[in-house]
Amino acid sequence: MTEELTDLLAGSRNLVGRSSTVERVADVLRGHIIDGALAPGARLSEEAIGAALGVSRNTLREAFRLLSHEGLLVHEFNRGVFVAKPTAEDVVDLYRVRRALELSALRGAAEASDEAVALVGASVEMGQRAFDSGDWWGLGTANMRFHQAIAGLAGSPRTDEIVRRLLAELRLVFHVMSAPREFHAPYLEQNKEIHRMLCEGRLDEAADRLGGYLDVAERQLVDAFAELDDPRSQAPA
Amino acid sequence: MTEELTDLLAGSRNLVGRSSTVERVADVLRGHIIDGALAPGARLSEEAIGAALGVSRNTLREAFRLLSHEGLLVHEFNRGVFVAKPTAEDVVDLYRVRRALELSALRGAAEASDEAVALVGASVEMGQRAFDSGDWWGLGTANMRFHQAIAGLAGSPRTDEIVRRLLAELRLVFHVMSAPREFHAPYLEQNKEIHRMLCEGRLDEAADRLGGYLDVAERQLVDAFAELDDPRSQAPA
DNA sequence: CCAATTGGATTGTTCAACAATCCTTCGATC
DNA sequence: GATCGAAGGATTGTTGAACAATCCAATTGG
């Protein structure tokens, strides 16, 4: 179910004209990267992946280039492509851009379309269902959907694309979180409240709430990274 | 010791070792697109361009993919790549994202580095020189540089890249302006004043000024588009 | 005049090959 | 024994050609 929706999300970007092999390959790889099957830092061999997916090296390289520009892969000349390995600095940067775009969209939501507002509500309900069934990764997905819907209030195709890219990178970051439930669960209530404020037209208030919430999440992630790099937390060999 | 050497190597590689054919091709094409040698809407034949630049179709296609993700080219499946042809809606969208990012960067510029602030000043001086020598296209370039410097106040690599992409698209938009002087010249004074406010720490004031200025520019561009589409302004065949 | 067909041109994708570069291993020298 | 350097293999960078799939325009037929 969740996977179906994820595919729908990714697929809804470009309409139905989805016949390019390159994009299909990129979709498959994106999925594997986002759900962790391809770990951050892993090298993707052209020959191996090409053989596994049954596509030529040239086609694969075009797909690599696509995902590199989405921030999911990094390309090192003459060395190959690697799954992006976000750092604490990347987290700070990602949240900086998110704050600018999401808060701007929320503050200007007076002119948002009804469908855009409805998407926010739908993401909240989706999160509730995931919570009820104990699907913590699905809860994370719903949370992403929530933020994408917030950004969508601006009615701006470019904002939508930028935020989608940022959230995909953020998915990589979440792989360092050892406790997805504790991380994602508290935000469900916040999302509900922000949605309520949005429906009542209390936009500035909603934006302030969202801003504070982003600060907390960023802090939490940065701390998680610090703990990873901190030698005292490493188990003795 | 080792680390120093590694840093040096990495730094010099990015500056000098631009040895990828794909990126060199992309640079050439980007230049021709931005300065108008390749007009918006023009189709880029793989065979023709490949022969002209002396690169293979596969390499060229990778460069196309790069520029497509920068928004300068649009790729239509089974039809080819075309120089992007922005519409009035694109203008509105571009300014929406610019407002969000540039104003956010300016409002948070209290923590900006000295170099970042200096870049703003440098762009203003560059604009003054272009104005004095009657170089209107150079004035436009300086203006772009100014806005990139404003965005750079955030100290965010991702913001920098996004804004660079937006401004490159905007360059295409400017090709519809028949009077570059009248369009660009008035903003020089505004940039000076915003720079002054920035140096004096009057950030919110500067941001308000910039916001209003962006509104005017957007309006001006949209009007120019409306005139283009308006039949009454077209010469009889 | 309009519609269907056909043919040429262009793109999408694959395959094979070679040059350039990197990483590893092996050896040589001190 | 350790450090440095040089072959060796493996991987990427780039090219060229080939074929299938698709689009576009001209031609043909009604």
Side-chain angles (χ1 to χ4, degrees):
Chain A
M1 295 297 151
T2 303
E3 207 166 311
E4 234 177 286
L5 289 173
T6 307
D7 285 351
L8 217 67
L9 176 67
S12 65
R13 165 166 34 166
N14 295 353
L15 283 79
V16 196
R18 192 157 223 23
S19 16
S20 159
T21 306
V22 171
E23 299 207 358
R24 248 175 297 129
V25 170
D27 282 346
V28 171
L29 291 178
R30 189 185 296 111
H32 285 318
I33 293 168
I34 283 178
D35 69 17
L38 293 169
R43 194 174 79 86
L44 302 188
S45 155
E46 293 184 355
E47 194 178 14
I49 306 259
L53 296 180
V55 299
S56 79
R57 275 182 62 207
N58 291 352
T59 299
L60 189 61
R61 286 170 62 91
E62 288 195 30
F64 281 172
R65 193 132 337 234
L66 242 159
L67 295 171
S68 296
H69 273 272
E70 287 183 21
L72 292 179
L73 297 179
V74 293
H75 186 145
E76 297 185 20
F77 192 78
N78 266 326
R79 294 206 46 220
V81 297
F82 303 79
V83 179
K85 200 174 182 178
T87 66
E89 291 177 4
D90 287 319
V91 173
V92 173
D93 198 30
L94 286 166
Y95 273 84
R96 205 164 10 209
V97 182
R98 286 184 66 186
R99 250 190 300 271
L101 291 178
E102 293 188 26
L103 296 188
S104 166
L106 192 46
R107 286 215 161 83
E111 302 161 354
S113 71
D114 291 343
E115 307 94 65
V117 176
L119 279 179
V120 176
S123 72
V124 170
E125 291 173 18
M126 178 183 173
Q128 183 63 57
R129 281 196 304 274
F131 180 86
D132 291 341
S133 59
D135 174 9
W136 310 124
W137 186 254
L139 183 56
T141 301
N143 201 25
M144 301 257 148
R145 189 77 64 93
F146 174 78
H147 289 281
Q148 196 152 335
I150 291 290
L153 294 172
S156 159
R158 283 170 182 79
T159 299
D160 288 345
E161 191 193 313
I162 293 169
V163 170
R164 168 168 24 246
R165 179 190 182 285
L166 297 177
L167 292 179
E169 273 193 84
L170 218 51
R171 271 288 202 197
L172 286 179
V173 173
F174 288 160
H175 285 300
V176 309
M177 295 300 301
S178 46
R181 172 185 182 166
E182 284 72 16
F183 178 72
H184 286 302
Y187 298 117
L188 179 56
E189 286 304 318
Q190 304 248 24
N191 290 350
K192 280 185 188 174
E193 194 149 352
I194 290 170
H195 176 234
R196 203 175 310 127
M197 292 176 179
L198 168 65
C199 291
E200 295 170 359
R202 293 146 61 196
L203 299 179
D204 284 333
E205 202 176 339
D208 289 341
R209 169 68 66 105
L210 179 58
Y213 148 3
L214 287 175
D215 289 339
V216 173
E218 174 186 345
R219 180 71 174 246
Q220 212 170 342
L221 286 172
V222 170
D223 287 348
F225 269 93
E227 213 164 298
L228 278 184
D229 295 338
D230 193 338
R232 87 182 146 73
S233 70
Q234 294 188 2
Chain B
M1 207 68 87
T2 305
E3 204 158 335
E4 273 180 345
L5 215 151
T6 307
D7 286 347
L8 212 72
L9 184 66
S12 60
R13 164 184 292 249
N14 276 341
L15 290 180
V16 180
R18 203 70 133 62
S19 46
S20 162
T21 305
V22 172
E23 298 206 358
R24 246 175 301 128
V25 170
D27 283 345
V28 171
L29 291 177
R30 190 184 296 112
H32 286 318
I33 294 168
I34 283 179
D35 68 18
L38 293 169
R43 196 175 76 87
L44 302 187
S45 156
E46 293 184 354
E47 193 178 15
I49 306 259
L53 295 180
V55 298
S56 80
R57 274 183 62 209
N58 288 322
T59 299
L60 189 60
R61 286 170 63 90
E62 288 196 32
F64 281 171
R65 187 104 26 204
L66 243 162
L67 294 171
S68 295
H69 275 274
E70 288 183 19
L72 293 180
L73 298 179
V74 294
H75 186 147
E76 298 185 22
F77 191 78
N78 267 326
R79 295 206 46 220
V81 298
F82 303 80
V83 179
K85 198 174 181 176
T87 65
E89 291 177 3
D90 287 318
V91 172
V92 173
D93 198 30
L94 285 166
Y95 272 84
R96 204 162 13 208
V97 182
R98 285 184 67 185
R99 251 189 299 271
L101 291 178
E102 292 188 27
L103 296 188
S104 166
L106 192 46
R107 284 215 162 83
E111 302 161 354
S113 70
D114 291 342
E115 306 95 65
V117 176
L119 279 179
V120 176
S123 73
V124 171
E125 291 173 16
M126 178 182 174
Q128 183 62 58
R129 279 195 304 276
F131 180 86
D132 291 340
S133 58
D135 174 10
W136 310 124
W137 186 253
L139 183 57
T141 301
N143 201 25
M144 299 258 148
R145 194 80 62 94
F146 173 79
H147 289 281
Q148 195 151 337
I150 292 291
L153 293 171
S156 158
R158 282 169 182 79
T159 300
D160 288 345
E161 191 193 313
I162 294 168
V163 170
R164 170 169 23 246
R165 180 189 181 287
L166 297 178
L167 292 180
E169 272 193 85
L170 217 52
R171 270 289 202 197
L172 287 179
V173 173
F174 288 161
H175 285 301
V176 308
M177 295 300 300
S178 46
R181 173 185 181 166
E182 284 72 16
F183 178 72
H184 286 302
Y187 299 116
L188 180 56
E189 286 304 318
Q190 305 248 23
N191 290 350
K192 280 186 188 174
E193 194 150 352
I194 290 170
H195 176 233
R196 202 174 312 129
M197 292 176 181
L198 167 64
C199 291
E200 295 169 359
R202 295 146 62 196
L203 299 179
D204 283 334
E205 202 175 339
D208 290 341
R209 170 68 67 104
L210 179 59
Y213 150 3
L214 287 174
D215 288 341
V216 173
E218 175 186 345
R219 180 72 174 246
Q220 212 170 341
L221 286 172
V222 170
D223 286 348
F225 269 93
E227 213 164 297
L228 279 184
D229 295 338
D230 193 338
R232 85 181 147 74
S233 70
Q234 294 188 3

